[in-house]
Amino acid sequence: MTQNVDINMARNTARHNIVAGAALAALATFFFWKSFNISLDFVDEEGVGPRFFPQAICVALGLIGLTLIVFGVRNQTAPADKSSFEAKRFFSDAVPLFLLGLAFVWMFGAFGYVTACFVTLFCAALLFAVRPPALILLPVIGTAVLYLLFFKLMTVFEPAATIFNPLSLIGLK
């Protein structure tokens, strides 16, 4: 009887993988298509441009979606995959990360990229219980690397902060 239950669970998980993969592939395709609306008017000749990162993410998500579909069609699941929903884990992990994402979007417009990225990475490190040396190093290094990647290499336009930009204190903005 236990093996029959495991087979039914594997079939349900495979169906979930097909649906989730199709949804992910459809979203990736839609956003890839919409990324062509990103303006290139302000781009210099240097760098890869502001469309690169959104399109790269869409391609990666599309490949993940297609992989889920293939695994679902073949009824392949991870050995410990138990397609279940744990409300406690969802509310302790997913909801705070979602709220942190919303806070990042607001802080980006209000205080600029550097402040928003540092605070978001610091709060995420606290949420995932990162210990002291890395608790400060991770946000500082992460913010610097992402700033250089987006605004220097890919020449993405950085909008001005509406409330206060701390970079203006040291003469960088």
Side-chain angles (χ1 to χ4, degrees):
M1 184 68 186
T2 307
Q3 189 173 0
N4 192 22
V5 171
D6 290 340
I7 291 171
N8 287 336
M9 186 180 299
R11 285 185 184 143
N12 286 339
T13 301
R15 266 187 253 128
H16 293 162
N17 285 348
I18 293 170
V19 172
L24 194 58
L27 278 172
T29 302
F30 173 76
F31 284 114
F32 186 84
W33 173 63
K34 293 301 279 181
S35 71
F36 287 103
N37 291 338
I38 296 173
S39 174
L40 297 176
D41 293 341
F42 55 85
V43 177
D44 301 347
E45 295 292 322
E46 302 173 12
V48 292
R51 289 182 184 166
F52 172 76
F53 189 70
Q55 289 177 343
I57 292 293
C58 289
V59 167
L61 288 177
L63 290 175
I64 291 170
L66 292 176
T67 303
L68 280 171
I69 292 170
V70 168
F71 283 172
V73 167
R74 297 169 79 186
N75 281 335
Q76 285 181 308
T77 60
D81 193 357
K82 299 233 182 340
S83 229
S84 63
F85 176 76
E86 296 178 31
K88 181 181 177 188
R89 179 109 193 229
F90 176 76
F91 286 112
S92 67
D93 291 347
V95 171
L97 286 175
F98 174 73
L99 295 174
L100 193 57
L102 292 178
F104 173 77
V105 170
W106 176 79
M107 285 188 297
F108 189 110
F111 299 105
Y113 174 78
V114 172
T115 304
C117 189
F118 178 81
V119 170
T120 302
L121 288 175
F122 184 78
C123 291
L126 284 174
L127 185 65
F128 288 110
V130 174
R131 291 196 210 127
L135 185 62
I136 297 299
L137 288 176
L138 176 71
V140 169
I141 293 170
T143 299
V145 167
L146 291 172
Y147 183 84
L148 292 173
L149 179 70
F150 283 110
F151 301 112
K152 299 303 178 194
L153 175 66
M154 291 192 283
T155 64
V156 175
F157 175 72
E158 182 182 7
T162 56
I163 295 177
F164 174 71
N165 191 349
L167 291 179
S168 62
L169 291 176
I170 55 176
L172 292 177
K173 271 289 180 189

